[in-house]
Coordinates of all heavy atoms in Angstrom, one line a residue:
M1 N -66.9 -218.9 184.3 CA -67.8 -217.8 184.3 C -68.5 -217.7 182.9 O -68.1 -218.6 182.1 CB -67.0 -216.5 184.6 CG -66.0 -216.2 183.7 SD -65.1 -214.6 184.0 CE -66.2 -213.4 183.5
N2 N -69.4 -216.7 182.7 CA -69.9 -216.5 181.5 C -68.8 -216.1 180.4 O -67.8 -215.5 180.8 CB -71.0 -215.4 181.4 CG -72.3 -216.0 182.0 OD1 -72.5 -217.3 182.1 ND2 -73.2 -215.1 182.4
G3 N -69.0 -216.3 179.2 CA -68.1 -215.9 178.1 C -68.2 -214.4 178.0 O -69.4 -213.8 177.8
V4 N -67.2 -213.6 178.0 CA -67.2 -212.2 177.7 C -67.0 -212.0 176.3 O -66.1 -212.4 175.7 CB -66.0 -211.5 178.5 CG1 -65.9 -210.0 178.2 CG2 -66.1 -211.8 180.0
L5 N -68.0 -211.2 175.6 CA -68.1 -211.1 174.3 C -67.0 -210.1 173.6 O -66.2 -209.6 174.4 CB -69.4 -210.7 173.9 CG -70.6 -211.7 174.3 CD1 -71.9 -211.4 173.4 CD2 -70.2 -213.2 174.1
Y6 N -67.1 -210.0 172.4 CA -66.1 -209.2 171.5 C -66.2 -207.7 171.8 O -66.4 -207.3 173.0 CB -66.4 -209.6 170.1 CG -67.9 -209.4 169.7 CD1 -68.3 -208.2 169.1 CD2 -68.8 -210.4 169.9 CE1 -69.7 -208.1 168.7 CE2 -70.1 -210.3 169.6 CZ -70.5 -209.1 168.9 OH -71.9 -209.0 168.6
G7 N -66.0 -206.9 170.9 CA -65.9 -205.4 171.1 C -67.1 -204.7 171.7 O -67.0 -203.5 172.1
V8 N -68.3 -205.3 171.7 CA -69.5 -204.8 172.4 C -69.4 -204.8 173.8 O -70.2 -204.1 174.5 CB -70.7 -205.5 171.9 CG1 -71.0 -205.3 170.4 CG2 -70.7 -207.0 172.3
D9 N -68.5 -205.5 174.3 CA -68.2 -205.5 175.8 C -67.0 -204.6 176.1 O -65.8 -204.9 175.6 CB -67.9 -206.9 176.3 CG -67.7 -207.0 177.8 OD1 -66.7 -206.5 178.3 OD2 -68.6 -207.5 178.5
G10 N -67.3 -203.5 176.9 CA -66.3 -202.5 177.2 C -65.8 -202.5 178.6 O -65.3 -201.5 179.0
R11 N -65.9 -203.6 179.2 CA -65.6 -203.6 180.7 C -64.2 -203.3 181.1 O -63.8 -202.9 182.2 CB -66.0 -204.9 181.3 CG -65.1 -206.2 181.0 CD -65.6 -207.4 181.6 NE -66.9 -207.8 181.0 CZ -67.7 -208.8 181.5 NH1 -67.2 -209.3 182.6 NH2 -68.8 -209.0 181.0
A12 N -63.2 -203.5 180.1 CA -61.8 -203.4 180.3 C -61.2 -202.1 179.9 O -60.1 -202.0 179.5 CB -61.1 -204.6 179.7
E13 N -62.1 -201.0 179.8 CA -61.6 -199.7 179.3 C -60.4 -199.3 180.2 O -59.4 -198.8 179.5 CB -62.8 -198.8 179.4 CG -62.4 -197.3 179.0 CD -63.4 -196.3 179.3 OE1 -64.4 -196.6 180.0 OE2 -63.2 -195.1 178.8
A14 N -60.4 -199.4 181.5 CA -59.3 -199.0 182.2 C -58.1 -199.7 181.9 O -56.9 -199.1 181.8 CB -59.7 -199.1 183.8
E15 N -58.1 -201.0 181.7 CA -56.9 -201.8 181.3 C -56.5 -201.5 180.0 O -55.2 -201.5 179.7 CB -57.3 -203.4 181.4 CG -57.5 -203.9 182.8 CD -58.7 -203.4 183.6 OE1 -59.7 -203.0 182.8 OE2 -58.8 -203.5 184.8
V16 N -57.3 -201.1 179.1 CA -57.0 -200.7 177.7 C -56.1 -199.5 177.8 O -55.0 -199.4 177.2 CB -58.1 -200.5 176.7 CG1 -57.8 -199.7 175.5 CG2 -58.9 -201.8 176.5
L17 N -56.5 -198.5 178.5 CA -55.8 -197.2 178.7 C -54.5 -197.5 179.4 O -53.4 -196.8 179.0 CB -56.6 -196.2 179.5 CG -58.0 -195.8 178.7 CD1 -58.8 -194.9 179.7 CD2 -57.7 -195.0 177.5
E18 N -54.5 -198.3 180.4 CA -53.2 -198.5 181.2 C -52.2 -199.2 180.3 O -51.1 -198.8 180.3 CB -53.5 -199.3 182.4 CG -52.3 -199.6 183.2 CD -52.5 -200.7 184.2 OE1 -53.5 -200.8 184.8 OE2 -51.5 -201.5 184.4
L19 N -52.6 -200.3 179.6 CA -51.6 -201.0 178.8 C -51.2 -200.2 177.6 O -50.0 -200.2 177.3 CB -52.2 -202.3 178.3 CG -52.5 -203.4 179.3 CD1 -53.3 -204.5 178.8 CD2 -51.1 -204.0 179.7
T20 N -52.0 -199.3 177.1 CA -51.6 -198.5 176.0 C -50.6 -197.5 176.5 O -49.5 -197.2 175.8 CB -52.8 -197.8 175.3 OG1 -53.8 -198.7 174.9 CG2 -52.4 -196.8 174.2
E21 N -50.8 -196.9 177.7 CA -49.9 -195.9 178.2 C -48.5 -196.6 178.5 O -47.5 -196.0 178.3 CB -50.5 -195.3 179.4 CG -49.6 -194.2 180.0 CD -50.3 -193.4 181.1 OE1 -51.5 -193.7 181.4 OE2 -49.5 -192.6 181.8
R22 N -48.7 -197.7 179.1 CA -47.5 -198.5 179.6 C -46.5 -198.9 178.4 O -45.3 -198.7 178.4 CB -47.8 -199.6 180.5 CG -46.6 -200.3 181.2 CD -46.9 -201.7 181.5 NE -48.2 -201.9 182.2 CZ -48.6 -203.2 182.5 NH1 -47.9 -204.3 182.2 NH2 -49.7 -203.4 183.2
I23 N -47.2 -199.5 177.3 CA -46.4 -200.1 176.3 C -46.1 -199.0 175.2 O -45.1 -199.0 174.5 CB -47.2 -201.2 175.7 CG1 -47.4 -202.3 176.7 CG2 -46.4 -201.9 174.5 CD1 -48.4 -203.4 176.4
G24 N -47.1 -198.2 174.9 CA -47.1 -197.2 173.9 C -47.9 -197.7 172.6 O -47.7 -198.8 172.2
E25 N -48.7 -196.9 172.1 CA -49.6 -197.2 171.1 C -48.9 -197.6 169.7 O -49.2 -198.6 169.2 CB -50.6 -196.1 170.8 CG -51.6 -196.5 169.6 CD -52.6 -195.3 169.4 OE1 -52.3 -194.4 168.7 OE2 -53.8 -195.6 169.7
E26 N -47.8 -196.9 169.4 CA -47.0 -197.3 168.3 C -46.4 -198.6 168.3 O -46.4 -199.4 167.4 CB -45.9 -196.2 168.0 CG -45.2 -196.3 166.8 CD -44.2 -195.2 166.5 OE1 -44.3 -194.1 167.0 OE2 -43.3 -195.5 165.6
T27 N -45.9 -198.9 169.5 CA -45.2 -200.2 169.7 C -46.3 -201.3 169.6 O -46.0 -202.4 168.9 CB -44.6 -200.3 171.1 OG1 -43.6 -199.3 171.2 CG2 -44.0 -201.7 171.3
I28 N -47.5 -201.2 170.2 CA -48.5 -202.1 170.1 C -48.9 -202.4 168.7 O -49.1 -203.5 168.2 CB -49.7 -201.6 171.0 CG1 -49.3 -201.6 172.5 CG2 -50.9 -202.6 170.8 CD1 -50.4 -201.0 173.4
I29 N -49.2 -201.3 168.0 CA -49.6 -201.4 166.6 C -48.5 -202.1 165.7 O -48.8 -203.0 164.9 CB -49.9 -200.0 165.9 CG1 -51.2 -199.5 166.7 CG2 -50.2 -200.2 164.4 CD1 -51.6 -198.1 166.2
T30 N -47.3 -201.7 165.9 CA -46.2 -202.4 165.2 C -46.1 -203.9 165.5 O -45.9 -204.7 164.5 CB -44.8 -201.6 165.5 OG1 -44.9 -200.2 165.1 CG2 -43.7 -202.2 164.6
R31 N -46.1 -204.2 166.7 CA -45.9 -205.6 167.1 C -47.2 -206.4 167.0 O -47.1 -207.6 166.6 CB -45.5 -205.7 168.6 CG -44.0 -204.9 168.8 CD -42.9 -205.9 168.4 NE -43.0 -207.2 169.1 CZ -42.6 -207.5 170.3 NH1 -42.1 -206.5 171.0 NH2 -42.6 -208.7 170.8
C32 N -48.3 -205.8 167.3 CA -49.5 -206.7 167.3 C -50.5 -206.4 166.2 O -51.4 -207.2 165.9 CB -50.3 -206.4 168.6 SG -49.3 -206.6 170.1
G33 N -50.2 -205.3 165.4 CA -51.1 -205.1 164.2 C -52.4 -204.3 164.6 O -53.0 -203.9 163.7
N34 N -52.7 -204.1 165.9 CA -53.9 -203.5 166.3 C -53.7 -202.6 167.6 O -52.9 -203.0 168.4 CB -54.9 -204.5 166.7 CG -55.2 -205.5 165.6 OD1 -55.9 -205.1 164.6 ND2 -54.7 -206.7 165.7
A35 N -54.3 -201.4 167.6 CA -54.3 -200.7 168.8 C -55.2 -201.5 169.8 O -56.0 -202.3 169.4 CB -54.9 -199.3 168.6
L36 N -55.0 -201.3 171.1 CA -55.8 -201.9 172.1 C -57.1 -201.1 172.2 O -57.2 -199.9 172.3 CB -55.1 -201.8 173.5 CG -53.9 -202.6 173.6 CD1 -53.2 -202.5 175.1 CD2 -54.2 -204.1 173.3
T37 N -58.3 -202.0 172.0 CA -59.5 -201.4 172.1 C -60.5 -202.4 172.9 O -60.0 -203.4 173.4 CB -60.1 -201.2 170.7 OG1 -60.4 -202.6 170.1 CG2 -59.2 -200.4 169.8
S38 N -61.8 -202.1 172.9 CA -62.7 -203.1 173.4 C -62.7 -204.4 172.8 O -63.2 -205.4 173.4 CB -64.1 -202.5 173.5 OG -64.6 -202.2 172.2
Q39 N -62.2 -204.5 171.5 CA -62.1 -205.7 170.8 C -60.9 -206.7 171.3 O -61.0 -207.9 171.1 CB -61.9 -205.4 169.3 CG -62.0 -206.6 168.4 CD -63.5 -207.0 168.1 OE1 -64.4 -206.5 168.7 NE2 -63.6 -207.8 167.0

């Protein structure tokens, strides 16, 4: 398929919210260094 670009592409907003709620923002930041965003 076409390449999906960086943070200017926001198609996965629902998945960002779901994963953040499921894992927890603090855990994500601690383990991954970044909150989940369109990036």
Side-chain angles (χ1 to χ4, degrees):
M1 61 181 286
N2 283 342
V4 176
L5 300 196
Y6 49 99
V8 296
D9 184 288
R11 72 183 64 194
E13 179 188 6
E15 286 74 19
V16 167
L17 295 173
E18 178 197 323
L19 288 168
T20 301
E21 183 176 353
R22 189 204 311 175
I23 301 168
E25 183 176 76
E26 185 175 344
T27 298
I28 293 169
I29 293 173
T30 301
R31 294 284 304 281
C32 306
N34 303 284
L36 293 181
T37 69
S38 64
Q39 188 83 347

